[in-house]
Amino acid sequence: QVQLVESGGGSVQAGGSLRLSCAASRDINTRNCMAWFRQAPGKEREGVAAIGSDGSTSYPESVKGRFTISQDKAAKTLYLQMNSLKPEDTAMYYCAAKFYPFWTAAPSCSRLRSDYNYWGQGTQVTVSS
Protein backbone atom coordinates (compact mmCIF):
# COMPACT_ATOMS: atom_id res chain seq x y z
CA GLN A 1 0.00 0.00 0.00
CA VAL A 2 1.19 3.49 -0.82
CA GLN A 3 0.28 6.61 1.13
CA LEU A 4 0.24 10.01 -0.55
CA VAL A 5 -0.03 13.10 1.65
CA GLU A 6 -0.68 16.51 0.11
CA SER A 7 0.17 19.87 1.66
CA GLY A 8 0.57 23.48 0.64
CA GLY A 9 -3.00 24.45 -0.12
CA GLY A 10 -4.50 27.68 1.15
CA SER A 11 -6.22 30.90 0.23
CA VAL A 12 -4.67 33.37 -2.18
CA GLN A 13 -5.78 36.33 -4.24
CA ALA A 14 -6.07 36.14 -8.00
CA GLY A 15 -2.67 36.47 -9.62
CA GLY A 16 -0.93 34.86 -6.68
CA SER A 17 1.05 31.64 -6.42
CA LEU A 18 1.01 28.45 -4.40
CA ARG A 19 3.18 25.35 -4.37
CA LEU A 20 1.56 22.05 -3.52
CA SER A 21 3.57 19.09 -2.25
CA CYS A 22 2.74 15.39 -2.19
CA ALA A 23 4.88 13.15 0.00
CA ALA A 24 4.92 9.47 -0.99
CA SER A 25 5.49 6.63 1.44
CA ARG A 26 7.59 4.64 -1.06
CA ASP A 27 10.42 5.17 -3.47
CA ILE A 28 9.31 7.06 -6.57
CA ASN A 29 12.57 6.50 -8.43
CA THR A 30 10.83 3.71 -10.31
CA ARG A 31 8.61 3.26 -13.32
CA ASN A 32 5.60 5.38 -12.44
CA CYS A 33 3.10 8.02 -13.41
CA MET A 34 2.20 10.73 -10.95
CA ALA A 35 -0.36 13.45 -11.40
CA TRP A 36 -2.35 16.26 -9.83
CA PHE A 37 -6.10 16.37 -10.12
CA ARG A 38 -8.62 18.88 -8.88
CA GLN A 39 -12.30 18.79 -8.12
CA ALA A 40 -14.53 21.78 -7.60
CA PRO A 41 -17.97 21.42 -5.95
CA GLY A 42 -20.45 19.92 -8.38
CA LYS A 43 -17.81 19.20 -11.02
CA GLU A 44 -15.93 16.16 -12.22
CA ARG A 45 -12.40 15.49 -11.01
CA GLU A 46 -10.00 16.67 -13.72
CA GLY A 47 -6.31 16.09 -14.27
CA VAL A 48 -4.28 19.29 -14.29
CA ALA A 49 -0.77 17.87 -14.63
CA ALA A 50 0.97 14.53 -15.10
CA ILE A 51 4.61 13.46 -15.02
CA GLY A 52 6.30 10.24 -15.98
CA SER A 53 9.39 8.64 -14.51
CA ASP A 54 11.25 9.83 -17.61
CA GLY A 55 10.34 13.42 -16.76
CA SER A 56 7.79 13.90 -19.52
CA THR A 57 4.89 16.15 -18.55
CA SER A 58 1.44 17.04 -19.80
CA TYR A 59 -1.08 19.75 -18.96
CA PRO A 60 -4.50 20.78 -20.21
CA GLU A 61 -4.79 24.11 -21.98
CA SER A 62 -6.54 25.63 -18.98
CA VAL A 63 -3.34 25.57 -16.88
CA LYS A 64 -0.56 25.33 -19.47
CA GLY A 65 2.03 28.01 -18.87
CA ARG A 66 0.78 28.65 -15.34
CA PHE A 67 1.23 25.27 -13.58
CA THR A 68 4.42 23.22 -13.40
CA ILE A 69 4.64 19.65 -12.12
CA SER A 70 7.95 18.29 -10.86
CA GLN A 71 9.42 15.50 -8.74
CA ASP A 72 12.19 15.31 -6.18
CA LYS A 73 12.89 11.58 -6.29
CA ALA A 74 15.35 11.66 -3.42
CA ALA A 75 12.72 13.29 -1.22
CA LYS A 76 9.95 11.05 -2.59
CA THR A 77 7.91 14.18 -3.22
CA LEU A 78 5.77 15.47 -6.07
CA TYR A 79 5.19 19.20 -6.51
CA LEU A 80 2.76 21.46 -8.32
CA GLN A 81 3.85 25.05 -8.72
CA MET A 82 0.81 27.20 -9.51
CA ASN A 83 1.30 30.76 -10.72
CA SER A 84 -1.10 33.43 -11.98
CA LEU A 85 -3.92 31.76 -10.10
CA LYS A 86 -7.50 32.49 -11.11
CA PRO A 87 -10.75 32.13 -9.16
CA GLU A 88 -11.67 29.22 -11.44
CA ASP A 89 -8.66 27.33 -10.07
CA THR A 90 -10.48 27.04 -6.74
CA ALA A 91 -10.88 23.34 -5.93
CA MET A 92 -9.68 20.45 -3.82
CA TYR A 93 -6.38 19.28 -5.27
CA TYR A 94 -5.39 15.61 -5.17
CA CYS A 95 -2.13 13.81 -5.79
CA ALA A 96 -2.32 10.46 -7.61
CA ALA A 97 0.12 7.74 -8.62
CA LYS A 98 0.47 4.45 -10.41
CA PHE A 99 3.55 2.24 -10.24
CA TYR A 100 4.76 -0.18 -12.90
CA PRO A 101 7.20 -3.14 -12.79
CA PHE A 102 10.82 -2.11 -13.34
CA TRP A 103 11.10 -4.20 -16.48
CA THR A 104 8.39 -2.25 -18.31
CA ALA A 105 9.07 0.58 -20.68
CA ALA A 106 8.50 4.09 -19.37
CA PRO A 107 4.72 4.51 -19.48
CA SER A 108 2.92 7.27 -21.29
CA CYS A 109 1.20 9.09 -18.46
CA SER A 110 -2.33 10.33 -18.92
CA ARG A 111 -4.50 12.72 -16.96
CA LEU A 112 -7.37 10.25 -16.75
CA ARG A 113 -8.65 9.51 -13.28
CA SER A 114 -9.15 5.83 -14.10
CA ASP A 115 -5.44 5.37 -14.86
CA TYR A 116 -4.37 6.02 -11.25
CA ASN A 117 -4.84 3.70 -8.30
CA TYR A 118 -3.24 5.58 -5.40
CA TRP A 119 -4.73 8.83 -4.14
CA GLY A 120 -4.08 11.34 -1.44
CA GLN A 121 -6.73 12.96 0.75
CA GLY A 122 -6.54 16.33 -0.96
CA THR A 123 -5.61 19.89 -0.10
CA GLN A 124 -7.93 22.85 -0.61
CA VAL A 125 -6.96 25.76 -2.85
CA THR A 126 -9.14 28.87 -2.78
CA VAL A 127 -8.49 31.81 -5.10
CA SER A 128 -10.38 35.03 -4.46
CA SER A 129 -10.95 37.79 -7.00
Side-chain angles (χ1 to χ4, degrees):
Q1 193 68 14
V2 178
Q3 279 76 48
L4 301 172
V5 179
E6 302 96 335
S7 61
S11 296
V12 64
Q13 288 193 325
S17 298
L18 284 173
R19 189 176 81 154
L20 306 183
S21 299
C22 171
S25 63
R26 62 157 284 176
D27 182 13
I28 62 172
N29 191 20
T30 58
R31 293 280 188 259
N32 65 70
C33 291
M34 299 191 77
W36 288 97
F37 288 76
R38 68 185 179 188
Q39 188 166 18
K43 294 190 176 182
E44 293 290 317
R45 190 171 297 189
E46 63 168 339
V48 296
I51 187 167
S53 48
D54 62 354
S56 58
T57 59
S58 71
Y59 307 90
E61 286 300 319
S62 59
V63 308
K64 195 173 290 185
R66 300 189 298 122
F67 290 12
T68 303
I69 189 171
S70 62
Q71 289 177 321
D72 182 336
K73 294 181 179 180
K76 298 185 293 183
T77 302
L78 179 74
Y79 299 102
L80 184 68
Q81 178 67 44
M82 305 185 295
N83 298 328
S84 302
L85 283 161
K86 305 175 181 180
E88 52 263 43
D89 295 319
T90 295
M92 185 72 78
Y93 283 71
Y94 298 90
C95 170
K98 183 169 183 177
F99 297 91
Y100 298 84
F102 71 92
W103 61 84
T104 60
S108 177
C109 299
S110 79
R111 300 189 306 274
L112 296 176
R113 181 177 181 175
S114 57
D115 285 350
Y116 294 85
N117 54 354
Y118 294 107
W119 292 86
Q121 294 301 305
T123 186
Q124 177 68 37
V125 171
T126 302
V127 184
S128 58
S129 57

